[in-house]
Amino acid sequence: MAIKAIDIVLVPPKEIQVLCFAVNKAAAKVAKSRFEFGQNDYVPHITLILGCVEETSIPKIQKLLQQLVVDYSVLDLELSGFGLYEKLNVQKKAYFQIDLNDKLLALHTKVAEIVRPYLLPCKDASVLVEGEKTGISESSSRFLNNFLKDYAFENYHAHISLGCFDFEEKEMLLENISLPIKFKASTVSIYQIGDGCTCREELYSVQLE
């Protein structure tokens, strides 16, 4: 039985991705980036649900998502702030906060309910893209195995991780960042993830109309 670690996400529009790329590159210049963002690999994203599923379940999940999005229009979202949270009590991981409005919370809830019956324990790095090279970190294992219990529904934290750590807002040195920033999100995708819960390989994508 082949199991894959997947992240069902909202992919932000180009202008928000470009902003994430800029922060990520600024962090790299001071050796505080964990990886380099790209449009096709290490893609900036807003997680809706994260977990491990049998590979044969993915087409079923795709079909259910296709049926679900008929009831949803393009989402009006807002980057409301910049934050840091602890990673393994050593590094503080940087992110853009997303204002959690009713429509985003409803979409997260519905997607989580769709995926819940298919979730399986994640036991080792074989579920990841390039897991044989990277292994699986304690934090990735924790998120994959406990997302529904600890990070979903009333605990849902909408954000875009920026691929950098211990990177203070004042260090960005990006004069064009003035939060909040409003944007529209229309792409829902399924990715197989790599270590660090990074969006590595797109498996499916559908548009909100």
Side-chain angles (χ1 to χ4, degrees):
M1 180 173 65
I3 296 176
K4 288 189 174 185
I6 64 167
D7 199 352
I8 300 182
V9 306
L10 282 168
V11 178
K14 184 177 180 180
E15 67 270 18
I16 300 300
Q17 291 194 44
V18 167
L19 183 58
C20 295
F21 295 162
V23 174
N24 181 259
K25 287 180 180 178
K29 290 180 180 179
V30 292
K32 291 185 176 181
S33 66
R34 298 169 55 238
F35 49 80
E36 182 180 353
F37 275 142
Q39 291 183 333
N40 300 308
D41 196 0
Y42 295 101
V43 177
H45 61 277
I46 304 164
T47 291
L48 295 170
I49 181 68
L50 184 69
C52 287
V53 300
E54 190 173 347
E55 188 171 9
T56 55
S57 297
I58 294 174
K60 301 173 187 176
I61 294 170
Q62 291 175 1
K63 184 176 180 180
L64 291 169
L65 279 178
Q66 182 69 58
Q67 295 169 349
L68 173 67
V69 298
V70 171
D71 296 327
Y72 286 86
S73 57
V74 174
L75 294 177
D76 291 306
L77 300 178
E78 180 179 284
L79 290 183
S80 56
F82 176 83
L84 297 166
Y85 62 87
E86 289 188 5
K87 180 177 183 290
L88 298 180
N89 299 316
V90 177
Q91 298 173 340
K92 293 183 179 180
K93 190 174 175 182
Y95 63 88
F96 278 133
Q97 176 72 39
I98 305 294
D99 182 54
L100 184 57
N101 60 36
D102 291 343
K103 289 184 178 180
L104 177 56
L105 180 58
L107 180 61
H108 154 72
T109 300
K110 289 293 187 182
V111 172
E113 289 172 348
I114 282 173
V115 176
R116 185 202 294 266
Y118 300 99
L119 291 176
L120 297 170
C122 299
K123 297 180 180 179
D124 56 47
S126 65
V127 301
L128 303 174
V129 174
E130 296 186 334
E132 71 283 358
K133 296 179 182 179
T134 65
I136 185 168
S137 63
E138 185 278 335
S139 60
S140 293
S141 180
R142 183 177 70 249
F143 283 123
L144 285 166
N145 284 302
N146 298 288
F147 193 90
L148 273 185
K149 178 172 68 74
D150 295 337
Y151 306 104
F153 307 118
E154 67 273 12
N155 297 320
Y156 180 55
H157 175 219
H159 66 283
I160 302 175
S161 293
L162 293 169
C164 51
F165 59 91
D166 297 340
F167 192 55
E168 302 287 347
E169 189 169 8
K170 63 179 180 293
E171 293 181 284
M172 287 189 191
L173 303 178
L174 298 172
E175 296 178 357
N176 61 329
I177 295 182
S178 179
L179 301 175
I181 298 174
K182 296 182 182 299
F183 65 97
K184 294 181 182 295
S186 61
T187 303
V188 177
S189 297
I190 303 176
Y191 278 85
Q192 185 180 9
I193 66 168
D195 195 39
C197 300
T198 49
C199 282
R200 300 294 313 276
E201 182 180 333
E202 186 180 79
L203 305 176
Y204 173 75
S205 185
V206 65
Q207 297 295 311
L208 303 176
E209 299 296 337

